[in-house]
């Protein structure tokens, strides 16, 4: 049988894998991407049927241990107050993401220098800024230029998402306190673009966008990458990356959709399996040369897991708000983004407005928090809430801590028998204080906006949708896994481009940065092709 | 859904329990969640999302025997209430899951959606109208000096 050889093997077809495939395609190398999940069919997304909300608790649940699709791997989450949210399929987490798409700030790359905590990144905002712009152009982002909380960027944006009734309500609250707010940069197009139709306010962004307006990477980068000749193999789950005697990666062993073991050879391996999947695969790739897992001589693989603890506050209003119609994200506030020592913690958070809730979610949230009773009184209590709530979350910067980590579970495996990841994570004192501050300030805003009742929760237990830090970037091979352009310190033809390489998490959603970094790493690779492994 | 997913007595227990979560309302003109059409949906969703629901219904029956001295369906409404409360405190996770299933099916029923003023359809392909909003509210923020933290 002829050997299966790729020039570049990409593992994972999510946010960062898609970027890599597209960017490297112009080299005309043979690029193969292995993805454990399927290619999605938007015609079958939940919002196309009446039971759509039920499916968000079933095959479109955000937690893999609830969803349990054949392509999902289990995660041992017993020792973490924040549970993992992901999606395994072409598009990865972007299939379910809300599309909130802010950039990091310049200060986010300089945490150690500015605040004396964690580490500085080995790159800065200016280096990554052109890649943000390119990523925003490829993805399609709605928003508005001129936010005083950011350096000016001249980014290409489609008109901002509608404020709606909820936006008007909350904007008045912010204004009465004199606090910052701005239309969110959101990866949801409001005008036709790149053959994709604009948003029609389905309000079901979190369960795949049947309209194609949300920039999940299966509808943004992948069509271009495939047209350019990249080979995407779905339902192929990688078990381990293989290495030669010279310490270079030689390819991967994977299981195809029929469960058959296959091997592919590759000159370059790029990992894009996210902040849990990548350390899991590295730790599963042991050999004589790398007995503690591939690329792990620093013992940093799996460590420094950051989630972004989220607080949530929801106000109840006399007047009708938008309900669930429209994208969830409309405005954000960065009034409390930067460190202010008077607050008792370092770093800060973005307030991200959540528009409203659909009927079932309204009832389920209300039952969980005791806002509506079982039995007598259910209807009156429910009708006070339905279409009459709006609120916000605080996306809190999580700092890296070595003991927050991904390891391999000694007993749990996926359907192919591959050891599953285990998470050990504790909420730091700093995060706890930041969450409390987030709830308190959100409550102020909601009350100022006219809410007569406020409910809150912190941290959101099933809110581990941002997976970062577990194979971090740095100049020193003793304390980091990849160098400043994404190449493993230990294995010179192994690259990592997903959220694992984050040094710190900032107080914003990560995907714009994950993808901008992937574009940057791809450019670095292209510009060094002649001496990539030196 | 397999025909035999729930036995008829389990279905009867589920029906009463669903009504205990959401009773009928004359005021709003809506059925209780124990309505046969809604229970059919609950059973169908339970088969996918709570395959072990029978076990929980059985726990409820044990409590009915303990606190009411009979099967759940034979108890009067006062005793049923007591048993339901005992069930919620002894088996909070199962009770919460059943509560979730009940509301998930209830709030997609035609009669209920109509009474909430909703159109009887899936979101896609028609979508919804959302007013653009009052962008003049942004004026004070536009006037604000740039305030991001400088790094140099
Ligand atoms: C509900 C939800 C809401 C979110 N909202 C936002 C938001 O508003 N804004 C934002 O910025 N981010 C959001 N996110 C996070 C966002 O989705 C992720 O940051 C992003 O997708 C991560 O990109 P990635 O490339 O690191 O990994 P992913 O996109 O997760 O892709 C990893 C891919 O690798 C595949 N894979 C893993 N292991 C293997 C293996 N062994 N073999 C083969 N394939 C494998 C997986 O199947 C997956 O497709 C959200 C996520 C969720 C789940």
């Amino acid at each position: 049988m002829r050997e299966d050889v790729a020039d570049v093997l990409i593992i994972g077809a999510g946010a960062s894998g898609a970027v890599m495939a597209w960017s490297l395609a112009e080299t005309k190398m043979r690029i193969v991407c292995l993805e454990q999940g399927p290619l999605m069919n938007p015609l079958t997304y939940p919002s196309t049927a009446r039971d759509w909300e039920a499916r968000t608790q079933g095959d479109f649940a955000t937690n893999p241990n609830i969803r349990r699709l054949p392509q999902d791997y289990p995660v041992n989450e017993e020792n973490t107050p924040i549970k993992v949210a992901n999606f395994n399929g072409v598009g990865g987490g972007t299939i379910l993401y809300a599309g909130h798409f802010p950039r990091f700030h310049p200060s986010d790359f300089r945490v150690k220098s500015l605040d004396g905590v964690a580490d500085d990144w080995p790159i800065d905002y200016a280096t990554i800024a052109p890649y943000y712009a390119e990523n925003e152009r490829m993805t399609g982002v709605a928003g508005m230029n001129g936010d005083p909380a950011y350096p000016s960027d001249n980014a290409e944006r489609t008109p901002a998402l509608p404020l709606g009734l909820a936006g008007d309500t909350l904007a008045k609250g912010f204004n009465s306190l004199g606090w910052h707010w701005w239309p969110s940069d959101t990866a949801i197009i409001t005008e036709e673009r790149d053959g994709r139709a604009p948003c029609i306010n389905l309000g079901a962004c979190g369960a795949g966008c049947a309209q194609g307006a949300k920039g999940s990477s299966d509808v943004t980068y992948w069509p271009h990458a495939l047209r350019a000749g990249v080979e995407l193999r779905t339902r192929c789950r990688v078990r381990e990356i293989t290495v030669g005697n010279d310490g270079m990666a030689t390819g991967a062993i994977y299981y195809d959709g029929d469960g058959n073991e296959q091997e592919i050879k590759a000159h370059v391996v790029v990992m894009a399996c996210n902040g849990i999947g990548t350390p899991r695969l590295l730790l599963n790739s042991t050999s004589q040369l790398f007995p503690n897992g591939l690329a792990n001589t620093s013992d940093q693989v799996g460590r420094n897991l950051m989630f972004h603890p989220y607080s949530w506050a929801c106000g109840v209003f006399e007047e009708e708000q938008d309900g669930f119609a429209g994208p969830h994200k409309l405005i954000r506030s960065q009034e409390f983004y930067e460190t202010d020592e008077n607050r008792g913690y370092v770093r800060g958070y973005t307030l991200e407005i959540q528009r409203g809730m659909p009927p079932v979610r309204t009832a389920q949230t209300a039952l969980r928090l005791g806002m509506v009773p079982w039995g007598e009184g259910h209807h009156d209590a429910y009708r006070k809430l339905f279409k009459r709530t709006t609120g916000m979350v605080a996306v809190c910067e999580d700092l890296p801590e070595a003991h927050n980590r991904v390891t391999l579970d000694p007993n749990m495996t996926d359907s192919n028998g591959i050891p599953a990841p285990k998470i050990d994570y504790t909420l730091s004192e700093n995060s706890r204080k930041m969450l409390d501050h987030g709830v308190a300030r959100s409550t102020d805003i909601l009350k100022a906006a006219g809410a007569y009742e406020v409910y809150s929760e912190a941290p959101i237990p099933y809110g581990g949708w941002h997976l970062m830090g577990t194979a971090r970037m740095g100049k020193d091979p003793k304390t980091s896994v990849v160098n400043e352009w994404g190449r493993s310190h230990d294995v010179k033809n192994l690259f990592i481009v997903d959220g694992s390489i984050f040094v710190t998490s900032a107080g914003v959603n990560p995907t714009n940065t994950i993808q901008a970094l992937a574009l940057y790493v791809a450019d670095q690779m292209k510009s060094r092709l002649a001496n990539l492994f030196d | 859904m397999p025909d035999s997913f729930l036995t008829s007595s389990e279905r009867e227990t589920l029906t009463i329990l669903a009504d205990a979560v959401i009773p009928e309302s004359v005021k709003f003109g809506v059925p209780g969640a124990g309505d046969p059409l809604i229970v059919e949906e609950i059973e169908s969703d339970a088969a996918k999302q709570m395959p072990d629901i029978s076990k929980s219904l059985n726990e409820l029956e044990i409590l009915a025997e303990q606190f009411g001295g009979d099967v759940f369906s034979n108890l009067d409404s006062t005793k049923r209430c007591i048993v339901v409360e005992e069930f919620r405190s002894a088996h909070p996770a199962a009770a919460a899951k059943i509560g979730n299933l009940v509301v998930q099916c209830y709030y997609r029923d035609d009669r209920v959606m109509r009474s909430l003023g909703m159109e009887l359809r899936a979101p896609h392909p028609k979508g919804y109208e959302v007013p653009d909003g009052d962008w003049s509210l942004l004026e004070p923020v536009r006037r604000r000096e740039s305030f991001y933290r400088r790094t140099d």
Side-chain angles (χ1 to χ4, degrees):
Chain A
M1 206 172 78
R2 241 186 56 206
E3 242 188 10
D4 188 10
V5 186
D7 291 315
V8 181
L9 171 65
I10 301 170
I11 307 172
S16 57
V19 168
M20 231 30 213
W22 172 76
S23 182
L24 292 182
E26 66 170 339
T27 62
K28 306 289 177 211
M29 292 191 286
R30 177 159 190 244
I31 300 166
V32 176
C33 177
L34 299 177
E35 164 56 52
Q36 65 189 341
L39 186 63
M40 303 307 290
N41 175 3
L43 293 176
T44 62
Y45 280 163
S47 68
T48 58
R50 284 279 295 278
D51 65 348
W52 71 275
E53 284 199 85
R55 287 183 65 195
T56 64
Q57 328 272 316
D59 57 341
F60 277 75
T62 60
N63 181 271
N65 295 337
I66 295 175
R67 203 170 52 228
R68 292 163 167 269
L69 294 175
Q71 61 268 27
D72 290 320
Y73 55 86
V75 182
N76 181 338
E77 315 179 288
E78 275 169 29
N79 197 24
T80 169
I82 300 177
K83 314 295 177 199
V84 169
N86 69 7
F87 197 76
N88 297 312
V90 177
T94 66
I95 298 296
L96 302 189
Y97 82 159
H100 200 221
F101 222 60
R103 297 180 178 195
F104 274 26
H105 297 70
S107 58
D108 293 321
F109 295 89
R110 292 282 170 273
V111 173
K112 177 87 172 173
S113 306
L114 294 172
D115 292 321
V117 290
D119 278 302
D120 288 348
W121 287 61
I123 52 173
D124 60 8
Y125 180 84
T127 307
I128 215 75
Y131 299 99
Y132 275 130
E134 184 170 22
N135 189 45
E136 288 152 2
R137 184 180 59 75
M138 285 298 292
T139 303
V141 176
M144 200 178 272
N145 292 352
D147 185 350
Y150 274 96
S152 76
D153 58 24
N154 297 320
E156 211 176 295
R157 295 178 168 94
T158 70
L161 296 167
L163 285 176
L165 302 173
D168 280 0
T169 300
L170 293 169
K172 285 177 197 153
F174 281 109
N175 284 354
S176 73
L177 295 164
W179 289 349
H180 167 261
W181 66 275
W182 199 258
S184 294
D185 287 315
T186 310
I188 296 177
I189 47 176
T190 50
E191 285 172 346
E192 205 174 293
R193 202 185 158 87
D194 197 20
R196 290 162 49 208
C199 176
I200 49 171
N201 301 312
L202 298 175
C205 316
C209 179
Q211 174 77 349
K214 185 179 81 170
S216 48
S217 71
D218 59 328
V219 300
T220 57
Y221 285 96
W222 270 116
H224 294 284
L226 294 175
R227 252 176 258 139
V230 173
E231 187 189 338
L232 172 60
R233 296 184 197 168
T234 56
R235 299 198 188 276
C236 290
R237 179 182 272 146
V238 177
R239 184 184 77 200
E240 64 180 281
I241 295 163
T242 49
V243 277
N245 294 334
D246 56 358
M248 299 285 271
T250 53
I253 296 173
Y254 67 96
Y255 296 98
D256 65 20
D258 299 323
N260 298 318
E261 188 178 313
Q262 306 283 357
E263 180 165 15
I264 181 167
K265 300 273 182 206
H267 301 301
V268 174
V269 175
V270 180
M271 307 210 44
C273 298
N274 82 32
I276 305 289
T278 284
R280 174 200 185 205
L281 186 47
L282 290 173
L283 294 172
N284 269 319
S285 303
T286 51
S287 59
Q288 250 178 349
L289 279 174
F290 298 102
N292 300 322
L294 193 61
N296 193 24
T297 56
S298 63
D299 188 34
Q300 293 301 306
V301 170
R303 293 190 183 275
N304 306 303
L305 173 66
M306 296 173 282
F307 275 132
H308 283 147
Y310 266 63
S311 72
W312 172 77
C314 167
V316 189
F317 294 81
E318 296 284 0
E319 308 77 30
E320 195 160 286
Q321 305 297 324
D322 295 315
F324 70 99
H328 313 317
K329 306 299 163 199
L330 46 148
I331 60 182
R332 66 171 177 237
S333 168
Q334 292 185 329
E335 186 66 31
F336 306 103
Y337 195 78
E338 295 290 358
T339 298
D340 175 345
E341 276 165 17
N342 296 325
R343 296 183 195 136
Y345 61 84
V346 288
R347 309 301 297 158
Y349 57 85
T350 298
L351 288 171
E352 189 186 290
I353 304 316
Q354 312 267 73
R355 195 181 291 273
M357 284 186 266
V360 172
R361 171 84 69 86
T362 303
Q364 291 180 336
T365 307
L367 282 180
R368 188 162 55 82
L369 298 180
M371 293 149 73
V372 301
W374 278 30
E376 189 67 33
H378 176 94
H379 296 283
D380 283 316
Y382 179 84
R383 278 158 207 261
K384 277 189 187 158
L385 300 175
F386 181 61
K387 286 186 90 173
R388 287 187 154 70
T389 64
T390 182
M392 63 194 75
V393 291
V395 188
C396 294
E397 173 155 357
D398 204 357
L399 291 168
E401 294 180 273
H403 62 89
N404 287 336
R405 67 189 296 203
V406 178
T407 54
L408 296 177
D409 190 274
N411 306 311
M412 200 183 259
T413 62
D414 63 24
S415 57
N416 294 111
I418 306 171
K422 173 175 188 294
I423 313 282
D424 289 284
Y425 176 92
T426 49
L427 203 59
S428 70
E429 190 58 22
N430 197 63
S431 293
R432 183 71 260 172
K433 287 180 180 161
M434 205 185 306
L435 285 166
D436 292 345
H437 191 270
V439 168
R441 296 298 77 78
S442 303
T443 305
D444 292 341
I445 295 155
L446 290 164
K447 292 237 166 102
Y452 66 86
E453 228 167 323
V454 175
Y455 295 88
S456 65
E457 190 173 36
I460 299 179
Y462 280 87
W465 30 66
H466 302 160
L467 311 169
M468 301 162 287
T470 47
R472 66 173 168 181
M473 184 183 252
K475 286 191 172 147
D476 185 350
K478 288 201 215 65
T479 56
S480 57
V481 179
V482 296
N483 71 7
E484 64 272 33
W485 42 281
R487 193 184 71 179
S488 153
H489 290 298
D490 295 346
V491 184
K492 302 257 182 278
N493 62 343
L494 177 72
F495 291 78
I496 306 178
V497 292
D498 55 59
S500 321
I501 64 177
F502 277 33
V503 180
T504 54
S505 67
V508 291
N509 323 58
T511 308
N512 196 5
T513 304
I514 291 175
Q515 293 186 304
L517 279 170
L519 284 169
Y520 160 74
V521 171
D523 255 15
Q524 291 290 314
M525 290 170 75
K526 286 184 282 190
S527 66
R528 296 166 193 259
L529 274 184
N531 51 0
L532 193 59
F533 310 140
D534 289 352
Chain B
M1 180 181 60
D3 285 344
S4 57
F5 179 64
L6 289 184
T7 64
S8 58
S9 71
E10 284 169 344
R11 192 169 304 122
E12 198 177 349
T13 306
L14 178 63
T15 300
I16 302 166
L17 188 58
D19 268 332
V21 179
I22 311 181
E24 181 189 4
S25 166
V26 178
K27 179 173 160 192
F28 296 109
V30 284
D35 174 89
L37 288 177
I38 300 173
V39 170
E40 207 174 292
E41 295 280 305
I42 299 173
E43 200 178 336
S44 155
D45 280 12
K48 287 176 268 180
Q49 293 178 11
M50 196 179 177
D52 58 352
I53 193 171
S54 299
K55 217 174 98 201
S56 301
L57 296 173
N58 191 43
E59 299 288 359
L60 182 86
E61 287 297 355
I62 292 170
L63 294 169
E65 192 60 49
Q66 194 180 332
F67 289 91
D70 206 340
V71 291
F72 189 51
S73 57
N74 283 348
L75 302 181
D76 62 28
S77 62
T78 316
K79 283 194 175 145
R80 281 179 184 172
C81 277
I82 294 169
V83 171
V84 167
E85 281 317 305
E86 290 298 330
F87 177 64
R88 292 183 75 187
S89 72
H91 304 283
K97 205 154 183 192
I98 292 174
N100 275 345
L101 276 175
V102 168
V103 298
Q104 150 178 321
C105 299
Y106 187 78
Y107 285 105
R108 68 174 189 246
D109 179 83
D110 284 1
R111 295 156 293 179
V112 177
M113 285 176 74
R114 206 177 286 120
S115 92
L116 289 169
M118 296 180 71
E119 292 175 68
L120 308 181
R121 63 173 174 88
H124 192 263
K126 201 170 155 202
Y128 301 96
E129 288 296 325
V130 175
D132 199 32
D134 177 5
W135 285 105
S136 71
L137 288 164
L138 195 56
E139 280 317 310
V141 196
R142 278 187 201 282
R143 286 196 298 270
R144 192 165 164 175
E145 286 286 306
S146 148
F147 67 97
Y148 71 92
R149 192 173 180 187
R150 297 334 193 242
T151 51
D152 32 61

